[in-house]
Amino acid sequence: MHGEYKIPGGKLVVVDLNVADGALRDVVLSGDFFLEPAEALEWMTAALEGLPADTPVETIAARVHDAAAHAELLGITPEGVAEAVRRALQGGAQ
Amino acid sequence: MSTHPSSSWRMYDWQLIQDAPTSPVMHMALDETLLEEVAAGRRPPTLRIWEWAAGAVVIGRFQSLRNEVDLDGAQRHGIQVVRRITGGGAMFIEPGNTITYSIYAPVELVARMSMVDSYAFFDRWVLDALASLGVEAWYQPINDITSAAGKIGGAAQTRRNGAVLHHVTMAYDIDSAKMTEVLRIGREKLSDKGIASAAKRVDPLRRQTGLPREAIIARMIDTFRAQHGLTDSAIKPEEWQAAERLAETKFGTEEWLRAVP
């Protein structure tokens, strides 16, 4: 499943994932945003992996926020990541 | 008289590297090597003008390879696909069609400004150079160099051990048809700009200036030299060797290319 969200005034956030047994699996977070350090991509991806597929967007955003607490984000926001996840889940198969 | 904050640039003995064409993978490796050399204090702050030895798609550090690149199309056209160490978007490059440069600087040069402000700061001399050629270009935050006629280029940065890499690719000319065969260009990316086609919104410098690419690069170098000072330099043998090692162990590997599948 594939979801995209263009952050207003920012960059494109893309989420590809599968759902197995009601949980997010094989999550790939990508886009043309900027992160320091680069490892923050893995931190945020790990925060999404295994989440119940019915997790409220606000909770997803909060988890991503916590995962990236020690990173600098430019052109990407935790809320934008959560919106891309929501769109992936709504859109169904790619 | 000058409105440029050139006093801070003038704190350094800026070096110019303008080398022979080299491969896309070596360009990726040279960026990391020279950033680390400046970070370690072994090399003064440097401006490097790139020459490409082959066509390339350069994807951003955080971009998905499969989402951004049509690998069959790239192979068909002999286009090499590489991943760079900075974020930002995919670029389609053919030798002679782009103007690419890197700035390797101490972070202290931009320490008192936001990341967004530092993007525009690093390229003010370029906007001045373009203006002197009759192109009115400006910064569109976060990282676009644009004009009334369309986008000209894009910048990307990363920071490491007290140094910052700021690099920019500007379109000199563009084969839009080929670009759409090697890049997968989504529509969502453009939704807040209200424009449906990425190819359409780029307006390359050849059309805007009518000048040879070399003349634009020469004006850019002259402008940098006049504003900030510039000493002719070259890549040292040990820097080449370090970059070649990185090309072999990192930038040329499938693992790095597919770091974000």
Side-chain angles (χ1 to χ4, degrees):
Chain A
M1 293 150 65
H2 178 89
E4 299 186 357
Y5 178 61
K6 170 72 172 69
I7 308 268
K11 311 305 289 186
L12 183 70
V13 177
V14 183
V15 169
D16 291 275
L17 55 77
N18 293 313
V19 174
D21 299 326
L24 311 190
R25 297 294 177 201
D26 311 316
V27 178
V28 176
L29 171 63
S30 67
D32 60 350
F33 44 78
F34 301 91
L35 297 171
E36 299 286 350
E39 289 74 27
L41 186 74
E42 280 76 59
W43 304 342
M44 291 191 285
T45 304
L48 298 173
E49 187 73 31
L51 273 188
D54 59 0
T55 305
V57 276
E58 295 78 12
T59 308
I60 297 175
R63 283 190 63 106
V64 172
H65 182 271
D66 290 349
H70 298 291
E72 279 194 90
L73 280 57
L74 188 59
I76 177 175
T77 62
E79 294 72 24
V81 174
E83 174 61 17
V85 170
R86 190 189 69 78
R87 291 184 177 195
L89 291 170
Q90 271 198 344
Q94 187 175 354
Chain B
M1 182 68 205
S2 172
T3 57
H4 304 290
S6 51
S7 58
S8 46
W9 289 84
R10 287 275 180 185
M11 286 164 49
Y12 309 104
D13 178 19
W14 287 92
Q15 310 285 299
L16 172 66
I17 294 173
Q18 197 177 13
D19 242 328
T22 191
S23 70
V25 166
M26 270 303 281
H27 276 307
M28 302 302 108
L30 282 167
D31 258 359
E32 179 160 306
T33 299
L34 296 176
L35 175 62
E36 288 181 348
E37 289 302 298
V38 171
R42 289 188 292 265
R43 157 173 285 285
T46 297
L47 167 68
R48 180 168 78 97
I49 311 283
W50 301 30
E51 292 294 340
W52 297 87
V57 169
V58 182
I59 60 173
R61 172 66 183 83
F62 308 112
Q63 287 191 297
S64 155
L65 178 67
R66 65 185 173 215
N67 286 346
E68 296 298 326
V69 185
D70 182 333
L71 287 172
D72 291 339
Q75 194 172 30
R76 197 164 60 242
H77 289 292
I79 303 290
Q80 298 176 21
V81 183
V82 293
R83 183 184 296 276
R84 62 178 186 263
I85 57 172
T86 59
M91 306 176 315
F92 169 55
I93 282 148
E94 293 188 280
N97 272 9
T98 62
I99 296 174
T100 306
Y101 58 90
S102 294
I103 297 169
Y104 315 89
V107 165
E108 65 179 7
L109 179 61
V110 291
R112 277 168 221 85
M113 60 186 84
S114 70
M115 285 232 255
V116 171
D117 288 345
S118 76
Y119 273 84
F121 172 85
F122 272 118
D123 291 326
R124 195 164 308 166
W125 62 281
V126 177
L127 300 186
D128 291 343
L130 293 176
S132 76
L133 297 171
V135 177
E136 194 193 336
W138 62 87
Y139 235 82
Q140 180 172 307
I142 300 170
N143 60 324
D144 283 350
I145 296 174
T146 196
S147 70
K151 179 178 166 175
I152 293 172
Q157 285 182 12
T158 191
R159 295 167 187 228
R160 190 173 300 180
N161 301 325
V164 55
L165 161 65
H166 176 100
H167 55 193
V168 171
T169 286
M170 298 191 293
Y172 174 70
D173 202 352
I174 197 160
D175 183 339
S176 298
K178 198 186 284 186
M179 181 175 76
T180 58
E181 287 182 43
V182 299
L183 291 184
R184 303 183 196 277
I185 295 162
R187 300 189 63 190
E188 176 68 16
K189 180 185 251 170
L190 305 163
S191 64
D192 80 339
K193 293 174 180 152
I195 302 166
S197 159
K200 209 183 292 177
R201 67 174 186 142
V202 174
D203 195 51
L205 287 170
R206 181 180 194 168
R207 200 208 60 77
Q208 295 215 35
T209 63
L211 291 171
R213 176 175 171 279
E214 293 68 26
I216 298 171
I217 291 173
R219 179 61 60 91
M220 288 169 56
I221 291 170
D222 288 347
T223 304
F224 191 105
R225 201 185 298 274
Q227 292 189 3
H228 309 316
L230 197 55
T231 302
D232 291 341
S233 171
I235 296 168
K236 302 175 202 163
E238 57 268 32
E239 291 171 336
W240 265 111
Q241 287 159 16
E244 279 172 344
R245 276 195 302 276
L246 271 179
E248 190 176 330
T249 59
K250 179 175 177 178
F251 292 100
T253 66
E254 286 288 306
E255 184 187 5
W256 172 254
L257 181 62
R258 297 175 191 280
V260 185

